[in-house]
Amino acid sequence: MELQFYGATERVTGSCHVVRCAGKTILLDCGLIQGLAAEEALNREPFPFDPRDIDAVVLSHGHIDHSGRLPLLCRQGFSGPVFTQHATRDLALILLQDAARLEEYDVLRENRERRKRGEEPLEPLYTNEDVVEVINRMQTLPYDVRQEILPGIELRFQDAGHILGSAITELWLTENSETRKLVYSGDLGQYDSPVLNDPSSVSEADAVLVESTYGDRLHRERAETLREIGEIISSAARGGGNIIIPAFAIGRSQELLYLFGKYGDAWGLDEWQIYLDSPMAIEASRIYWDYPELYDSEARLMRDRLLEMPRPDNLHFTRRAEESKKINDIEQGAIIIAGSGMCNGGRILYHLKRHVERPESHVMITGYQAEGTLGRRLVEGNEAVEIHGRMYRVAAAVHTVGGLSAHGDQHDLLRWANGFDTRPAMYVVHGEDAPKRALAALLAESCGVRAEVPAPGEKVDLLVSRKG
């Protein structure tokens, strides 16, 4: 009975861990590696295991850094079920289809350059047909239901509060009459954030994998975050510019629409035109509205009263590329929400090309920016950035609104970890080096547990992992 760590050990993205029990092998997530070109090239490396040996996958949520290599896994021989929460299946379809489309586009562009150099062409990592294969393999479970998924292996999902359908995974593993409980946090949301419920508490475990994205820092208080957004909007209105918001299509875009609907009067949004310029975010918003049972009490009451989630009257959904291009003719008074959230592709790049050199415009960063991404360079205050092969001077005001993150901060992670009545061994993953080590030290101190930062490929014997 063992746990082996692979993805999201040396970096934040690419979550992937293996559990072996009673002759069966389970994969916890199978995510895409994102960031620098050299890191993304690792997605083409062989898996560190034979996909044909995997009996089942447990998917914590739909974000690409957790789900993005599932189609490749199937393409290379995996033929088992993928267990996930109901809403995650719906969101994974649009996320993975978008990833396949972008992959095919990037390979087409790369192959034009390779032909010029006389090099062999690349094949896409996967295609839409591979995505359909993955979705057809998904078996969904609601929260709070414990079910045997393989002989000797039982599974239960709890709400992680990160995005719609995100799950904390509880696994009961039995081998030779010995049972151990493994808990995988997936990605944990903030407490008291809008729309979704708080992360569920789990009281018992023998071993825990916990994420550490913000393991060494605190988010701004919610009230301060709301005040900051209001100030950005007021400043942009006075300066006569636009507000450009890179936003993840799943989670962040829906939260922004909710906040704009709720605080529109206070923020003077009637003077603006708001554009959700992302076909994927538009489709994801439809899925969000279809799952009111997963909202927190305030959002559920609002939806029941309005028959939909609150949204501004001056909100425009721009699905077609022609509509997106027309937005860039607007000189002022536009709030543009577009993907990708880390500015490493998608329509946001065209809006940044148009506005990043305009001192009257504002760029509002609302989520985590991985090392090597354009969003990270903007956050770090680079005076110039490269977009589509050309350098652009950064004259727009860049604001980092950390309080909107879908990831819990250090206090949130410690609060969740302190919910265990037992003293499980804790393994810190899904973070850059400094946050992982900072969180591990605090977990050992505040929870009185053995907390480790595992290396890629490291194995843990779950029968002896808990030493209390």
Side-chain angles (χ1 to χ4, degrees), residues 238-282:
R238 291 192 302 271
N242 292 334
I243 302 173
I244 313 302
I245 308 178
F248 300 107
I250 311 295
R252 191 54 34 75
S253 293
Q254 291 73 40
E255 183 178 348
L256 285 166
L257 295 185
Y258 177 86
L259 293 174
F260 286 166
K262 184 176 180 180
Y263 298 103
D265 291 342
W267 291 342
L269 291 179
D270 56 336
E271 300 177 7
W272 294 80
Q273 297 301 311
I274 302 170
Y275 297 89
L276 183 59
D277 189 26
S278 166
M280 185 165 60
I282 294 167

Side-chain angles (χ1 to χ4, degrees), residues 269-378:
L269 291 179
D270 56 336
E271 300 177 7
W272 294 80
Q273 297 301 311
I274 302 170
Y275 297 89
L276 183 59
D277 189 26
S278 166
M280 185 165 60
I282 294 167
E283 178 63 15
S285 297
R286 182 192 63 77
I287 293 171
Y288 258 67
W289 309 157
D290 287 344
Y291 282 93
E293 69 275 14
L294 301 183
Y295 301 165
D296 64 18
S297 57
E298 180 187 63
R300 198 179 310 118
L301 285 171
M302 279 193 176
R303 188 188 187 281
D304 290 345
R305 188 171 69 248
L306 301 174
L307 301 180
E308 63 175 356
M309 293 296 285
R311 73 183 200 192
D313 294 332
N314 50 349
L315 172 65
H316 309 277
F317 291 143
T318 53
R319 291 178 172 84
R320 299 193 303 274
E322 298 77 16
E323 296 173 315
S324 177
K325 291 175 182 176
K326 287 181 179 178
I327 299 173
N328 276 333
D329 294 333
I330 302 171
E331 292 286 336
Q332 64 182 58
I335 297 175
I336 305 164
I337 306 168
S340 70
M342 295 186 195
C343 308
N344 56 347
R347 293 182 179 181
I348 193 65
L349 296 181
Y350 296 94
H351 298 304
L352 288 172
K353 286 164 69 173
R354 175 73 174 84
H355 292 283
V356 76
E357 293 189 319
R358 300 180 67 210
E360 62 270 33
S361 288
H362 295 250
V363 179
M364 192 166 89
I365 303 292
T366 61
Y368 179 78
Q369 306 298 309
E371 186 177 356
T373 62
L374 172 58
R376 181 67 163 257
R377 290 191 284 275
L378 289 170

Side-chain angles (χ1 to χ4, degrees), residues 109-370:
R109 187 175 58 184
E110 172 67 18
N111 282 343
R112 284 198 293 265
E113 298 301 317
R114 294 175 77 89
R115 278 195 298 271
K116 293 176 185 176
R117 299 191 298 264
E119 297 174 357
E120 289 294 317
L122 294 175
E123 289 288 326
L125 277 177
Y126 51 81
T127 65
N128 191 63
E129 288 73 19
D130 300 310
V131 171
V132 172
E133 172 72 13
V134 168
I135 299 302
N136 287 338
R137 293 194 172 281
M138 288 189 177
Q139 297 183 22
T140 60
L141 291 174
Y143 291 135
D144 304 321
V145 172
R146 181 171 169 176
Q147 178 175 314
E148 185 177 69
I149 58 171
L150 291 169
I153 301 174
E154 294 178 277
L155 166 68
R156 182 167 68 193
F157 289 133
Q158 301 280 8
D159 196 339
H162 174 61
I163 63 170
L164 194 77
S166 59
I168 298 162
T169 297
E170 297 177 279
L171 285 172
W172 288 265
L173 309 168
T174 301
E175 183 176 286
N176 298 327
S177 301
E178 293 275 357
T179 298
R180 295 292 183 271
K181 184 180 178 185
L182 172 66
V183 173
Y184 172 41
S185 73
D187 285 356
L188 295 170
Q190 293 192 60
Y191 289 84
D192 302 318
S193 62
V195 184
L196 299 180
N197 292 302
D198 291 344
S200 298
S201 295
V202 182
S203 60
E204 295 182 350
D206 295 294
V208 177
L209 283 81
V210 60
E211 68 119 322
S212 59
T213 311
Y214 290 106
D216 64 345
R217 70 200 79 171
L218 304 178
H219 297 319
R220 184 166 292 184
E221 292 293 331
R222 178 66 53 172
E224 293 180 16
T225 296
L226 297 175
R227 184 165 54 251
E228 181 182 12
I229 294 172
E231 290 170 354
I232 294 169
I233 294 169
S234 295
S235 177
R238 291 192 302 271
N242 292 334
I243 302 173
I244 313 302
I245 308 178
F248 300 107
I250 311 295
R252 191 54 34 75
S253 293
Q254 291 73 40
E255 183 178 348
L256 285 166
L257 295 185
Y258 177 86
L259 293 174
F260 286 166
K262 184 176 180 180
Y263 298 103
D265 291 342
W267 291 342
L269 291 179
D270 56 336
E271 300 177 7
W272 294 80
Q273 297 301 311
I274 302 170
Y275 297 89
L276 183 59
D277 189 26
S278 166
M280 185 165 60
I282 294 167
E283 178 63 15
S285 297
R286 182 192 63 77
I287 293 171
Y288 258 67
W289 309 157
D290 287 344
Y291 282 93
E293 69 275 14
L294 301 183
Y295 301 165
D296 64 18
S297 57
E298 180 187 63
R300 198 179 310 118
L301 285 171
M302 279 193 176
R303 188 188 187 281
D304 290 345
R305 188 171 69 248
L306 301 174
L307 301 180
E308 63 175 356
M309 293 296 285
R311 73 183 200 192
D313 294 332
N314 50 349
L315 172 65
H316 309 277
F317 291 143
T318 53
R319 291 178 172 84
R320 299 193 303 274
E322 298 77 16
E323 296 173 315
S324 177
K325 291 175 182 176
K326 287 181 179 178
I327 299 173
N328 276 333
D329 294 333
I330 302 171
E331 292 286 336
Q332 64 182 58
I335 297 175
I336 305 164
I337 306 168
S340 70
M342 295 186 195
C343 308
N344 56 347
R347 293 182 179 181
I348 193 65
L349 296 181
Y350 296 94
H351 298 304
L352 288 172
K353 286 164 69 173
R354 175 73 174 84
H355 292 283
V356 76
E357 293 189 319
R358 300 180 67 210
E360 62 270 33
S361 288
H362 295 250
V363 179
M364 192 166 89
I365 303 292
T366 61
Y368 179 78
Q369 306 298 309

